[in-house]
Amino acid sequence: MTKEELCRKAQEMLKMAYIPYSHFPVGAALECEDGTVFTGCNIENAAYGPTVCAERTAVFKAVSEGHRRFKRIAIATAGEKMSGPCGVCRQVLHEFAPDLEIILINCKNETVEYTLPQLLPYSFGPADLA
Protein backbone atom coordinates (compact mmCIF):
# COMPACT_ATOMS: atom_id res chain seq x y z
CA MET A 1 0.00 0.00 0.00
CA THR A 2 1.32 3.43 -0.83
CA LYS A 3 1.63 6.20 1.71
CA GLU A 4 -1.06 8.15 -0.15
CA GLU A 5 -3.51 5.22 -0.04
CA LEU A 6 -2.94 4.74 3.69
CA CYS A 7 -3.44 8.46 4.30
CA ARG A 8 -6.65 8.43 2.27
CA LYS A 9 -8.02 5.56 4.39
CA ALA A 10 -7.30 7.56 7.55
CA GLN A 11 -8.99 10.64 6.09
CA GLU A 12 -12.06 8.60 5.12
CA MET A 13 -12.49 7.64 8.77
CA LEU A 14 -12.97 11.28 9.82
CA LYS A 15 -16.63 11.07 8.79
CA MET A 16 -17.12 7.98 10.98
CA ALA A 17 -15.97 9.65 14.20
CA TYR A 18 -18.51 9.91 17.04
CA ILE A 19 -17.59 13.31 18.49
CA PRO A 20 -20.63 15.04 20.07
CA TYR A 21 -18.49 16.65 22.80
CA SER A 22 -15.13 17.70 21.34
CA HIS A 23 -16.27 18.09 17.72
CA PHE A 24 -12.69 17.03 16.84
CA PRO A 25 -12.73 14.09 14.41
CA VAL A 26 -9.71 11.84 14.14
CA GLY A 27 -9.23 8.98 11.69
CA ALA A 28 -6.51 6.34 11.64
CA ALA A 29 -5.31 3.63 9.28
CA LEU A 30 -2.93 1.04 10.69
CA GLU A 31 -0.87 -1.05 8.28
CA CYS A 32 0.24 -4.47 9.49
CA GLU A 33 3.51 -6.01 8.38
CA ASP A 34 1.57 -8.41 6.11
CA GLY A 35 -0.12 -5.46 4.34
CA THR A 36 -3.51 -5.77 6.04
CA VAL A 37 -4.97 -2.40 7.03
CA PHE A 38 -7.28 -1.69 9.97
CA THR A 39 -9.01 1.65 10.32
CA GLY A 40 -10.37 3.48 13.32
CA CYS A 41 -12.01 6.70 14.44
CA ASN A 42 -12.38 8.37 17.79
CA ILE A 43 -15.49 7.40 19.74
CA GLU A 44 -16.46 9.74 22.57
CA ASN A 45 -18.55 9.12 25.65
CA ALA A 46 -20.41 11.52 27.92
CA ALA A 47 -18.36 10.23 30.87
CA TYR A 48 -15.15 11.14 28.96
CA GLY A 49 -13.03 8.34 30.51
CA PRO A 50 -14.49 5.62 28.26
CA THR A 51 -13.65 7.65 25.14
CA VAL A 52 -11.41 5.74 22.71
CA CYS A 53 -9.00 7.40 20.30
CA ALA A 54 -8.85 6.52 16.61
CA GLU A 55 -5.39 4.98 16.95
CA ARG A 56 -6.46 2.60 19.72
CA THR A 57 -9.63 1.69 17.82
CA ALA A 58 -7.48 0.59 14.87
CA VAL A 59 -5.00 -1.28 17.10
CA PHE A 60 -7.74 -3.08 19.03
CA LYS A 61 -9.47 -4.10 15.80
CA ALA A 62 -6.18 -5.47 14.46
CA VAL A 63 -5.27 -7.33 17.64
CA SER A 64 -8.77 -8.78 17.95
CA GLU A 65 -8.30 -10.23 14.45
CA GLY A 66 -4.96 -11.84 15.32
CA HIS A 67 -2.54 -9.19 14.04
CA ARG A 68 0.33 -8.18 16.30
CA ARG A 69 3.01 -6.75 13.99
CA PHE A 70 2.52 -3.25 12.62
CA LYS A 71 4.49 -1.29 10.04
CA ARG A 72 3.00 2.21 10.06
CA ILE A 73 -0.04 4.25 10.98
CA ALA A 74 -1.58 7.30 9.33
CA ILE A 75 -3.50 9.69 11.59
CA ALA A 76 -5.77 12.34 10.08
CA THR A 77 -7.49 15.32 11.67
CA ALA A 78 -9.82 17.97 10.29
CA GLY A 79 -7.70 20.86 11.55
CA GLU A 80 -4.78 22.74 10.05
CA LYS A 81 -2.48 21.82 12.92
CA MET A 82 -0.82 18.40 12.92
CA SER A 83 -2.00 16.32 15.86
CA GLY A 84 0.06 13.43 17.14
CA PRO A 85 -1.23 10.49 19.14
CA CYS A 86 -1.94 11.06 22.83
CA GLY A 87 0.28 9.51 25.47
CA VAL A 88 -2.00 6.53 26.04
CA CYS A 89 -2.06 5.77 22.30
CA ARG A 90 1.72 6.09 22.11
CA GLN A 91 2.04 3.51 24.87
CA VAL A 92 -0.45 1.12 23.21
CA LEU A 93 1.34 1.47 19.87
CA HIS A 94 4.68 0.78 21.57
CA GLU A 95 3.35 -2.50 22.98
CA PHE A 96 3.11 -3.94 19.47
CA ALA A 97 5.41 -1.82 17.30
CA PRO A 98 8.16 0.03 19.16
CA ASP A 99 9.68 1.26 15.87
CA LEU A 100 6.38 2.18 14.20
CA GLU A 101 6.33 4.78 11.42
CA ILE A 102 3.74 7.53 12.06
CA ILE A 103 2.26 9.79 9.39
CA LEU A 104 0.24 12.81 10.52
CA ILE A 105 -2.17 14.45 8.06
CA ASN A 106 -3.98 17.78 8.37
CA CYS A 107 -7.02 19.18 6.54
CA LYS A 108 -4.81 20.59 3.76
CA ASN A 109 -3.53 17.07 2.99
CA GLU A 110 -0.09 18.06 4.30
CA THR A 111 1.86 15.32 6.02
CA VAL A 112 4.69 15.00 8.49
CA GLU A 113 6.37 11.75 9.43
CA TYR A 114 7.88 10.53 12.68
CA THR A 115 8.90 7.27 14.25
CA LEU A 116 7.40 6.18 17.54
CA PRO A 117 10.79 6.46 19.31
CA GLN A 118 10.84 10.15 18.33
CA LEU A 119 7.42 10.67 19.95
CA LEU A 120 7.98 8.36 22.93
CA PRO A 121 11.62 8.52 24.01
CA TYR A 122 12.69 6.42 27.00
CA SER A 123 9.63 4.25 26.52
CA PHE A 124 8.51 1.41 28.77
CA GLY A 125 7.58 -1.86 27.12
CA PRO A 126 7.50 -5.63 27.44
CA ALA A 127 11.32 -5.89 27.43
CA ASP A 128 11.43 -3.76 30.60
CA LEU A 129 9.51 -6.44 32.48
CA ALA A 130 12.06 -9.19 31.71
Side-chain angles (χ1 to χ4, degrees):
M1 169 160 295
T2 68
K3 172 185 158 182
E4 291 75 22
E5 291 170 328
L6 190 68
C7 289
R8 195 167 24 260
K9 285 186 175 291
Q11 290 168 313
E12 289 170 2
M13 291 305 296
L14 292 171
K15 65 180 177 279
M16 302 303 291
Y18 177 73
I19 51 164
Y21 310 107
S22 73
H23 308 289
F24 187 79
V26 180
L30 177 67
E31 183 177 7
C32 302
E33 284 189 356
D34 69 359
T36 305
V37 175
F38 290 89
T39 57
C41 62
N42 51 328
I43 304 167
E44 297 180 346
N45 187 282
Y48 297 116
T51 293
V52 179
C53 299
E55 301 91 329
R56 282 184 283 145
T57 299
V59 169
F60 295 162
K61 286 169 65 176
V63 171
S64 72
E65 295 295 325
H67 294 266
R68 305 280 192 282
R69 299 174 61 96
F70 309 132
K71 178 180 175 182
R72 60 185 171 173
I73 189 168
I75 304 164
T77 60
E80 287 187 28
K81 183 179 180 223
M82 300 290 180
S83 295
C86 75
V88 173
C89 287
R90 292 175 195 202
Q91 185 63 44
V92 169
L93 291 165
H94 181 271
E95 181 75 14
F96 298 99
D99 296 314
L100 187 71
E101 298 171 36
I102 299 171
I103 306 164
L104 305 180
I105 314 142
N106 68 6
C107 67
K108 295 180 177 180
N109 206 34
E110 299 168 328
T111 62
V112 65
E113 298 179 40
Y114 297 97
T115 63
L116 189 54
Q118 289 176 299
L119 298 181
L120 188 65
Y122 308 106
S123 59
F124 182 86
D128 295 297
L129 296 174

Short mmCIF file of all heavy atoms in Angstrom, two decimals, residues 87-99 116-130:
data_model
loop_
_atom_site.label_atom_id
_atom_site.label_comp_id
_atom_site.label_asym_id
_atom_site.label_seq_id
_atom_site.Cartn_x
_atom_site.Cartn_y
_atom_site.Cartn_z
N GLY A 87 -0.65 10.35 24.74
CA GLY A 87 0.28 9.51 25.47
C GLY A 87 -0.18 8.07 25.62
O GLY A 87 0.61 7.13 25.50
N VAL A 88 -1.46 7.88 25.90
CA VAL A 88 -2.00 6.53 26.04
C VAL A 88 -1.86 5.77 24.72
O VAL A 88 -1.43 4.61 24.70
CB VAL A 88 -3.46 6.56 26.52
CG1 VAL A 88 -4.07 5.17 26.50
CG2 VAL A 88 -3.56 7.17 27.91
N CYS A 89 -2.18 6.42 23.61
CA CYS A 89 -2.06 5.77 22.30
C CYS A 89 -0.60 5.45 21.99
O CYS A 89 -0.30 4.39 21.44
CB CYS A 89 -2.67 6.63 21.21
SG CYS A 89 -4.47 6.65 21.27
N ARG A 90 0.30 6.35 22.35
CA ARG A 90 1.72 6.09 22.11
C ARG A 90 2.15 4.83 22.86
O ARG A 90 2.88 3.99 22.33
CB ARG A 90 2.57 7.29 22.54
CG ARG A 90 2.35 8.50 21.66
CD ARG A 90 3.08 9.73 22.15
NE ARG A 90 2.55 10.90 21.49
CZ ARG A 90 3.19 12.04 21.35
NH1 ARG A 90 4.41 12.18 21.83
NH2 ARG A 90 2.62 13.06 20.74
N GLN A 91 1.68 4.68 24.08
CA GLN A 91 2.04 3.51 24.87
C GLN A 91 1.44 2.24 24.27
O GLN A 91 2.11 1.21 24.17
CB GLN A 91 1.57 3.67 26.32
CG GLN A 91 2.00 2.55 27.23
CD GLN A 91 3.51 2.43 27.37
OE1 GLN A 91 4.20 3.43 27.53
NE2 GLN A 91 4.02 1.22 27.30
N VAL A 92 0.19 2.29 23.83
CA VAL A 92 -0.45 1.12 23.21
C VAL A 92 0.27 0.76 21.92
O VAL A 92 0.54 -0.42 21.65
CB VAL A 92 -1.95 1.37 22.97
CG1 VAL A 92 -2.56 0.30 22.09
CG2 VAL A 92 -2.69 1.46 24.29
N LEU A 93 0.61 1.74 21.11
CA LEU A 93 1.34 1.47 19.87
C LEU A 93 2.70 0.83 20.16
O LEU A 93 3.12 -0.10 19.48
CB LEU A 93 1.51 2.76 19.06
CG LEU A 93 0.22 3.33 18.46
CD1 LEU A 93 0.45 4.77 17.99
CD2 LEU A 93 -0.30 2.47 17.33
N HIS A 94 3.36 1.32 21.20
CA HIS A 94 4.68 0.78 21.57
C HIS A 94 4.60 -0.69 21.96
O HIS A 94 5.53 -1.46 21.71
CB HIS A 94 5.28 1.60 22.72
CG HIS A 94 6.63 1.11 23.13
ND1 HIS A 94 6.81 0.14 24.09
CD2 HIS A 94 7.86 1.45 22.69
CE1 HIS A 94 8.09 -0.09 24.23
NE2 HIS A 94 8.75 0.69 23.40
N GLU A 95 3.52 -1.10 22.56
CA GLU A 95 3.35 -2.50 22.98
C GLU A 95 3.55 -3.46 21.80
O GLU A 95 4.11 -4.55 21.97
CB GLU A 95 1.97 -2.69 23.58
CG GLU A 95 1.67 -4.08 24.08
CD GLU A 95 2.35 -4.43 25.39
OE1 GLU A 95 2.86 -3.50 26.09
OE2 GLU A 95 2.39 -5.62 25.74
N PHE A 96 3.09 -3.06 20.63
CA PHE A 96 3.11 -3.94 19.47
C PHE A 96 4.13 -3.55 18.40
O PHE A 96 4.54 -4.38 17.60
CB PHE A 96 1.71 -4.00 18.83
CG PHE A 96 0.68 -4.56 19.76
CD1 PHE A 96 -0.16 -3.72 20.46
CD2 PHE A 96 0.59 -5.93 19.96
CE1 PHE A 96 -1.10 -4.23 21.34
CE2 PHE A 96 -0.33 -6.45 20.85
CZ PHE A 96 -1.19 -5.61 21.54
N ALA A 97 4.53 -2.29 18.37
CA ALA A 97 5.41 -1.82 17.30
C ALA A 97 6.31 -0.69 17.80
O ALA A 97 6.10 0.48 17.47
CB ALA A 97 4.58 -1.35 16.11
N PRO A 98 7.33 -1.02 18.58
CA PRO A 98 8.16 0.03 19.16
C PRO A 98 8.89 0.91 18.15
O PRO A 98 9.30 2.01 18.49
CB PRO A 98 9.15 -0.73 20.04
CG PRO A 98 9.05 -2.16 19.67
CD PRO A 98 7.73 -2.35 19.00
N ASP A 99 9.01 0.46 16.91
CA ASP A 99 9.68 1.26 15.87
C ASP A 99 8.71 1.75 14.80
O ASP A 99 9.11 2.05 13.67
CB ASP A 99 10.81 0.45 15.23
CG ASP A 99 11.90 0.12 16.23
OD1 ASP A 99 12.31 1.02 16.99
OD2 ASP A 99 12.34 -1.05 16.27
N LEU A 116 7.90 6.21 16.16
CA LEU A 116 7.40 6.18 17.54
C LEU A 116 8.51 6.51 18.55
O LEU A 116 8.24 7.26 19.50
CB LEU A 116 6.76 4.83 17.84
CG LEU A 116 6.02 4.73 19.17
CD1 LEU A 116 4.97 5.83 19.34
CD2 LEU A 116 5.38 3.36 19.32
N PRO A 117 9.75 6.06 18.36
CA PRO A 117 10.79 6.46 19.31
C PRO A 117 11.00 7.98 19.38
O PRO A 117 11.38 8.51 20.42
CB PRO A 117 12.05 5.75 18.80
CG PRO A 117 11.52 4.55 18.08
CD PRO A 117 10.24 5.03 17.44
N GLN A 118 10.73 8.68 18.28
CA GLN A 118 10.84 10.15 18.33
C GLN A 118 9.74 10.75 19.20
O GLN A 118 9.96 11.77 19.85
CB GLN A 118 10.73 10.73 16.92
CG GLN A 118 11.94 10.46 16.05
CD GLN A 118 11.73 10.98 14.64
OE1 GLN A 118 10.81 10.55 13.94
NE2 GLN A 118 12.58 11.91 14.22
N LEU A 119 8.56 10.13 19.18
CA LEU A 119 7.42 10.67 19.95
C LEU A 119 7.33 10.10 21.36
O LEU A 119 6.61 10.65 22.20
CB LEU A 119 6.11 10.39 19.21
CG LEU A 119 5.97 11.01 17.82
CD1 LEU A 119 4.61 10.65 17.23
CD2 LEU A 119 6.14 12.52 17.88
N LEU A 120 8.03 9.00 21.61
CA LEU A 120 7.98 8.36 22.93
C LEU A 120 9.39 7.92 23.34
O LEU A 120 9.68 6.73 23.42
CB LEU A 120 7.01 7.16 22.90
CG LEU A 120 6.69 6.51 24.24
CD1 LEU A 120 5.93 7.46 25.15
CD2 LEU A 120 5.88 5.24 24.03
N PRO A 121 10.27 8.90 23.59
CA PRO A 121 11.62 8.52 24.01
C PRO A 121 11.60 7.90 25.41
O PRO A 121 10.69 8.16 26.20
CB PRO A 121 12.37 9.85 23.99
CG PRO A 121 11.34 10.88 24.19
CD PRO A 121 10.08 10.34 23.54
N TYR A 122 12.57 7.07 25.70
CA TYR A 122 12.69 6.42 27.00
C TYR A 122 11.41 5.66 27.35
O TYR A 122 10.90 5.70 28.47
CB TYR A 122 13.02 7.44 28.10
CG TYR A 122 14.21 8.29 27.76
CD1 TYR A 122 14.05 9.61 27.38
CD2 TYR A 122 15.49 7.76 27.76
CE1 TYR A 122 15.14 10.40 27.03
CE2 TYR A 122 16.58 8.53 27.41
CZ TYR A 122 16.40 9.85 27.05
OH TYR A 122 17.47 10.61 26.69
N SER A 123 10.89 4.96 26.36
CA SER A 123 9.63 4.25 26.52
C SER A 123 9.75 3.06 27.46
O SER A 123 10.84 2.57 27.75
CB SER A 123 9.12 3.78 25.15
OG SER A 123 10.11 2.93 24.58
N PHE A 124 8.61 2.59 27.92
CA PHE A 124 8.51 1.41 28.77
C PHE A 124 7.71 0.36 28.02
O PHE A 124 6.61 0.64 27.56
CB PHE A 124 7.80 1.77 30.08
CG PHE A 124 7.72 0.61 31.04
CD1 PHE A 124 8.76 0.35 31.92
CD2 PHE A 124 6.61 -0.21 31.06
CE1 PHE A 124 8.69 -0.71 32.80
CE2 PHE A 124 6.52 -1.29 31.93
CZ PHE A 124 7.58 -1.53 32.81
N GLY A 125 8.27 -0.82 27.87
CA GLY A 125 7.58 -1.86 27.12
C GLY A 125 7.83 -3.23 27.69
O GLY A 125 8.41 -3.39 28.77
N PRO A 126 7.38 -4.25 26.97
CA PRO A 126 7.50 -5.63 27.44
C PRO A 126 8.93 -6.02 27.84
O PRO A 126 9.13 -6.75 28.82
CB PRO A 126 7.03 -6.45 26.24
CG PRO A 126 6.08 -5.54 25.52
CD PRO A 126 6.68 -4.19 25.68
N ALA A 127 9.92 -5.54 27.12
CA ALA A 127 11.32 -5.89 27.43
C ALA A 127 11.73 -5.38 28.82
O ALA A 127 12.60 -5.96 29.48
CB ALA A 127 12.25 -5.33 26.37
N ASP A 128 11.10 -4.31 29.28
CA ASP A 128 11.43 -3.76 30.60
C ASP A 128 10.94 -4.64 31.74
O ASP A 128 11.37 -4.48 32.88
CB ASP A 128 10.84 -2.35 30.74
CG ASP A 128 11.49 -1.38 29.77
OD1 ASP A 128 12.71 -1.16 29.87
OD2 ASP A 128 10.76 -0.87 28.90
N LEU A 129 10.06 -5.55 31.45
CA LEU A 129 9.51 -6.44 32.48
C LEU A 129 10.31 -7.74 32.61
O LEU A 129 10.05 -8.55 33.50
CB LEU A 129 8.05 -6.77 32.18
CG LEU A 129 7.10 -5.57 32.21
CD1 LEU A 129 5.71 -5.98 31.76
CD2 LEU A 129 7.05 -4.97 33.61
N ALA A 130 11.28 -7.94 31.71
CA ALA A 130 12.06 -9.19 31.71
C ALA A 130 13.06 -9.20 32.86
O ALA A 130 13.56 -8.21 33.29
CB ALA A 130 12.77 -9.36 30.38
#
